[in-house]
Amino acid sequence: MSTQGYEDELWSERDYVADLYERLDAERERVRAGHRSALLGTGGTLLERDDEVRALAREAKRLDVADNGLCFGRLDTLSGDIAYIGRLGIFDEDRDYEPLLLDWRAPAARPFYVATGANPENMRRRRQFHTRGRRIVDFTDEVFGRPGDGERGDAALLAAVNAPRGPGMRDIVATIQAEQDAIIRLDHPGVLVIEGGPGTGKTVVALHRVAYLLYTQRERMERHGVLVVGPNPSFLNHIGRVLPSLGESDVVFVTTGDLVPGLHVTAEDSPEVTRLKGSLTMLDVLKAAVTDRQRLPEEPVQIALADTTVRIDAPIAEWAQEEARASGLPHNEARKVFIDIVTYVLTERALGKIGRGWLTRADGVEWERMRKDLLKELSVDETFNDTIDALWPVLTPGSLLGSLYASPERLRAAGADASLFRSQGDAWTVADVPLLDELVDLLGRDEAAERAAKLAAEQERSVEERFAAAAISQLTGRADSMDDEDHLYASDLINAGELAERFVERDTRDLVERASADRDWTYRHVVVDEAQELSEMDWRVLMRRCPGRSFTVVGDLAQRRSAAGARTWAHMLEPYVADRWVYRSLSVNYRTPAEIMAIAAAVLAEFAPTVQPPESVRANGFRPWARRVAADELPDAIGEFVRDEAGREGTSVVIGPPGVPGTVPASETKGLEFDAVLVVEPERILADGPRGAAELYVALTRATQRLGVLHLGPLPTALAGLDQS
């Protein structure tokens, strides 16, 4: 294409994209107007109006994210047809909804990502736009089927991976590669495991897969949302903008320490305690701990009633205990069975004692009246209620687990390892969260508390209806004093119940807020990142959150650091989805330059010799270096690195073993990427055994451009390939 021809094409493309933005703005204004109208509307029920408001708010968010890079490509077919590709679909309403812009997830857009010179998918040309805000800066073309034509898709990819890193992960919607696209569009209803080494893009592929599923299955998924589980808050902040940038906002982001609403736990146990708590053997421990709280009286308890005295002894309590356990109900719900049996026996004994006198001649009606009186007496008797609470207490997950940890005797009774003891039982760690969640189901609900809450709500509603009735009556009275015989009564327009509904506090929370606060919320799809770190007990929590078993699981077994984590995917998944999980791998490293990956691969070979490292897509000419310093020189050496990087565009990080000032542990950088990385004291990181080697592997593979190492002792053998300075 001549220079003039290129300029003409560029201006033509700019005009086309400008028209797309005009249509986007018009649609956005229409949705916003509808949203404002719905907020003020009076038609339909409150629930219907709230649904409409939420739907329009979601649509407004979806349209808002398209301002930057709305249209990023174009496909020309062999037959001469043209299709523009972008973040969302735009259609011409005046021409039978002819597509003016194809959503990148649409089937017709797939050739944009998979067409090659060898397999052009009936395409003649792929054009990629480079944009800044709403303006096309330039474009590059890849013409298929002509020897010598440049692979412009690769050029666009290299431009993206070489660009300086910002504060968060970017979407790859404009540069998805064929290997990645096949995984994103995979039609599998169960669990998909995506495994790949550092820099292979497995996380961003999983997030684009979520966007694709929401596009193709929106009706099924939208009302329940998607759960994304990551290793730490820094990682979630890093990836949190990807899905919103693709127009999807109904996504809940949590760590495993956030899986129980109301808890945010970050503290960790020792590796051995983590392994114990993560094992399925804890199920038996928890069940035994619950059973241990279901007691028998050591001595009979006397209950003084108005006309006689009865007692609760071991045989009565044992019978009630057996019946309650046999009911199969959770502990708190089985308490009613326990109480029913005890009260039945006590009332029968009391009636038997009273019946030795005149009541033996009483009729059945009188007998039942006496029984009801006895039940009423028992229900308010302090000794009776205290005894029931001691023999079959109402338990909460926190009170049960906390008291278990704080008592060596209770740990022994539950068959738990003595290493679980801690003086402050409720000093929760991340490994406690799945145990607390498990106890929610083992204990069940406190029905007495729920009845009290329901009664309070009914009383509040009654007060509101009385207030509404009084208001209507006052308005009607005013109307009666009017001379006009054709006046309209307030009660003709609305009744007290309808008016009271207007005073009910509306739940205006969006899906993310409601799902985050509801332990029983179920999701249509769950993404688990760094999944190799999750324990068997963690997986039980997640399976409860997604009964449909629709998961995208992302991980790298070679990077596992948790003693409770996965050694094989089959071990974790097959108990739940024996024949409904598939495995896909990513083999190309888009993040780490070949110079750095060669060093990291040497570390990988020492602790996981059978694992093949991913192949870097590029070399960048920067040789990673190492420098030995004295202990008193280390702070200045770190400061020098920080100052040098502060003058460059992009991001940087200093990674070191715990306790070294100015550094962060490798575990806190998992899934993140930086332009420059300084690794401090690798010999100390490695000293932590296989876990330490995995930590060092993670640290070395965070860099996208430059890597340096500072060491105090001899440089580990695996790092011999570093340039010494």
Side-chain angles (χ1 to χ4, degrees):
M1 187 182 300
S2 67
T3 301
Q4 184 59 49
Y6 174 86
E7 289 295 327
D8 291 344
E9 282 280 297
L10 180 59
W11 282 105
S12 174
E13 300 291 27
R14 284 173 176 170
D15 288 343
Y16 189 89
V17 171
D19 178 68
L20 293 178
Y21 274 112
E22 287 183 11
R23 293 172 184 269
L24 174 69
D25 290 339
E27 177 65 9
R28 184 157 43 197
E29 183 52 40
R30 185 192 67 79
V31 170
R32 286 175 176 171
H35 185 250
R36 290 192 296 268
S37 176
L39 285 171
L40 300 173
T42 57
T45 66
L46 282 174
L47 182 61
E48 290 170 340
R49 293 201 299 275
D50 285 347
D51 283 346
E52 183 181 7
V53 167
R54 289 187 179 118
L56 288 168
R58 283 195 300 269
E59 180 66 8
K61 286 182 180 179
R62 188 181 74 86
L63 295 173
D64 283 343
V65 302
D67 265 343
N68 188 19
L70 170 64
C71 176
F72 51 76
R74 165 181 149 177
L75 281 172
D76 295 13
T77 69
L78 291 173
S79 60
D81 294 329
I82 294 174
Y84 287 85
I85 316 298
R87 292 182 178 276
L88 47 77
I90 294 179
F91 303 90
D92 189 342
E93 297 181 8
D94 298 329
R95 297 184 180 180
D96 295 328
Y97 288 88
E98 174 188 335
L100 302 175
L101 182 68
L102 283 176
D103 190 299
W104 67 274
R105 295 163 287 195
R110 185 171 179 270
F112 186 78
Y113 301 108
V114 302
T116 65
N119 184 20
E121 300 274 337
N122 294 318
M123 297 296 137
R124 184 177 68 84
R125 177 171 59 187
R126 171 168 49 212
R127 174 169 291 177
Q128 183 143 7
F129 301 131
H130 308 135
T131 61
R132 185 175 297 118
R134 291 187 166 205
R135 180 179 173 82
I136 297 179
V137 177
D138 59 26
F139 66 82
T140 55
D141 281 347
E142 177 184 3
V143 180
F144 299 114
R146 295 183 183 178
D149 284 336
E151 291 289 329
R152 301 309 303 169
D154 290 345
L157 171 66
L158 290 175
V161 298
N162 278 313
R165 265 45 185 178
M169 179 179 282
R170 298 168 295 189
D171 65 64
I172 59 169
V173 64
T175 57
I176 294 170
Q177 301 301 291
E179 178 186 51
Q180 299 169 330
D181 186 77
I183 294 174
I184 290 170
R185 298 176 193 267
L186 183 65
D187 183 16
H188 179 70
V191 176
L192 167 63
V193 175
I194 306 173
E195 184 163 25
T200 53
K202 52 189 180 293
T203 296
V204 74
V205 166
L207 296 175
H208 283 68
R209 174 169 167 77
V210 169
Y212 176 75
L213 291 175
L214 285 166
Y215 175 80
T216 57
Q217 304 175 30
R218 189 167 300 280
E219 185 175 345
R220 185 181 74 86
M221 296 178 65
E222 192 169 47
R223 286 186 175 274
H224 290 259
V226 173
L227 177 67
V228 175
V229 182
N232 55 59
S234 297
F235 174 82
L236 295 178
N237 289 335
H238 180 64
I239 70 171
R241 57 187 268 182
V242 173
L243 282 168
S245 76
L246 297 173
E248 306 300 346
S249 57
D250 290 339
V251 183
V252 176
F253 294 89
V254 299
T255 68
T256 52
D258 304 321
L259 283 170
V260 173
L263 281 182
H264 175 64
V265 183
T266 58
E268 293 190 2
D269 291 297
S270 68
E272 177 58 19
V273 172
T274 297
R275 184 189 65 79
L276 288 170
K277 290 182 178 180
S279 168
L280 291 181
T281 58
M282 284 301 296
L283 292 174
D284 294 331
V285 170
L286 296 179
K287 291 174 183 175
V290 174
T291 300
D292 183 54
R293 302 298 294 273
Q294 301 164 356
R295 316 300 291 270
L296 300 177
E298 296 179 1
E299 298 292 338
V301 179
Q302 303 294 326
I303 310 292
L305 301 176
D307 297 316
T308 188
T309 298
V310 292
R311 69 179 190 176
I312 301 176
D313 54 24
I316 293 176
E318 186 174 18
W319 178 26
Q321 187 184 86
E322 290 173 353
E323 291 293 326
R325 289 175 178 172
S327 71
L329 294 170
H331 170 86
N332 289 334
E333 296 168 33
R335 174 182 158 102
K336 183 178 184 301
V337 178
F338 182 85
I339 295 173
D340 287 347
I341 296 295
V342 172
T343 54
Y344 169 78
V345 174
L346 294 185
T347 55
E348 286 296 311
R349 289 185 177 181
L351 289 170
K353 289 181 179 181
I354 298 171
R356 294 189 187 101
W358 65 272
L359 194 56
T360 55
R361 298 183 299 276
D363 60 23
V365 174
E366 184 66 17
W367 190 272
E368 286 303 314
R369 185 189 66 77
M370 287 295 297
R371 185 190 300 278
K372 289 180 180 179
D373 289 344
L374 288 169
L375 289 172
K376 185 176 181 180
E377 277 191 78
L378 286 173
S379 69
V380 297
D381 186 89
E382 186 175 346
T383 302
F384 173 80
N385 286 311
D386 288 347
T387 303
I388 292 295
D389 287 342
L391 300 181
W392 199 286
V394 173
L395 298 172
T396 65
S399 66
L400 177 70
L401 193 60
S403 61
L404 174 68
Y405 288 152
S407 169
E409 294 79 15
R410 283 180 171 158
L411 285 170
R412 282 195 297 272
D417 194 280
S419 64
L420 298 185
F421 171 79
R422 63 185 181 215
S423 57
Q424 186 179 345
D426 60 356
W428 306 125
T429 64
V430 173
D432 292 326
V433 173
L435 307 183
L436 291 166
D437 192 76
E438 191 76 36
L439 284 168
V440 173
D441 287 346
L442 282 177
L443 297 178
R445 306 187 181 282
D446 181 354
E447 292 186 341
E450 288 187 350
R451 285 196 299 271
K454 182 179 179 181
L455 179 61
E458 290 173 350
Q459 290 173 341
E460 182 180 359
R461 172 74 177 194
S462 178
V463 170
E464 289 167 349
E465 287 196 8
R466 288 198 298 272
F467 174 80
I472 291 174
S473 176
Q474 187 177 17
L475 290 172
T476 302
R478 289 176 182 172
D480 286 341
S481 65
M482 296 168 61
D483 294 332
D484 183 4
E485 296 181 357
D486 295 325
H487 62 258
L488 189 66
Y489 291 101
S491 55
D492 292 333
L493 298 174
I494 191 170
N495 61 40
E498 292 170 337
L499 183 58
E501 185 183 1
R502 301 295 176 89
F503 292 98
V504 175
E505 184 176 353
R506 296 170 64 181
D507 185 357
T508 58
R509 298 175 300 170
D510 61 20
L511 182 145
V512 171
E513 294 170 318
R514 288 180 288 129
S516 300
D518 186 355
R519 184 263 175 185
D520 294 325
W521 189 279
T522 57
Y523 298 88
R524 284 291 185 262
H525 192 76
V526 176
V527 176
V528 188
D529 209 324
E530 300 293 343
Q532 73 277 356
E533 307 296 347
L534 270 62
S535 69
E536 293 174 307
M537 292 300 295
D538 289 326
W539 280 109
R540 285 180 62 84
V541 179
L542 295 181
M543 292 298 169
R544 282 193 286 269
R545 298 295 191 272
C546 186
R549 305 291 193 260
S550 178
F551 283 75
T552 300
V553 176
V554 181
D556 180 9
L557 295 177
Q559 296 186 58
R560 179 183 62 83
R561 62 182 292 271
S562 173
R567 285 170 170 78
T568 70
W569 299 117
H571 177 76
M572 292 299 188
L573 298 176
E574 287 188 353
Y576 307 101
V577 285
D579 58 350
R580 288 187 57 219
W581 73 282
V582 297
Y583 176 90
R584 295 292 185 272
S585 63
L586 293 168
S587 58
V588 178
N589 188 332
Y590 300 100
R591 175 204 301 147
T592 316
E595 296 89 341
I596 296 176
M597 198 62 218
I599 304 299
V603 174
L604 179 67
E606 288 204 351
F607 75 93
T610 62
V611 177
Q612 183 69 27
E615 182 179 354
S616 294
V617 76
R618 67 193 169 106
N620 68 351
F622 291 101
R623 292 285 304 169
W625 55 266
R627 185 166 85 240
R628 186 168 185 171
V629 296
D632 60 350
E633 297 173 329
L634 184 60
D636 287 342
I638 293 175
E640 180 185 351
F641 169 83
V642 172
R643 286 191 298 274
D644 287 347
E645 290 302 326
R648 300 174 186 261
E649 187 179 6
T651 59
S652 63
V653 68
V654 181
I655 301 174
V660 177
T663 71
V664 298
S667 59
E668 294 183 15
T669 66
K670 296 196 80 168
L672 307 183
E673 55 185 28
F674 306 88
D675 291 272
V677 172
L678 179 68
V679 178
V680 174
E681 295 192 72
E683 64 274 24
R684 281 183 56 191
I685 298 175
L686 269 176
D688 199 13
R691 171 175 166 170
E695 292 277 84
L696 182 57
Y697 181 60
V698 169
L700 295 172
T701 53
R702 297 308 94 196
T704 67
Q705 301 292 345
R706 300 174 296 281
L707 172 69
V709 172
L710 296 176
H711 56 107
L712 304 185
L715 191 66
T717 305
L719 302 182
L722 290 167
D723 286 353
Q724 291 285 346
S725 63

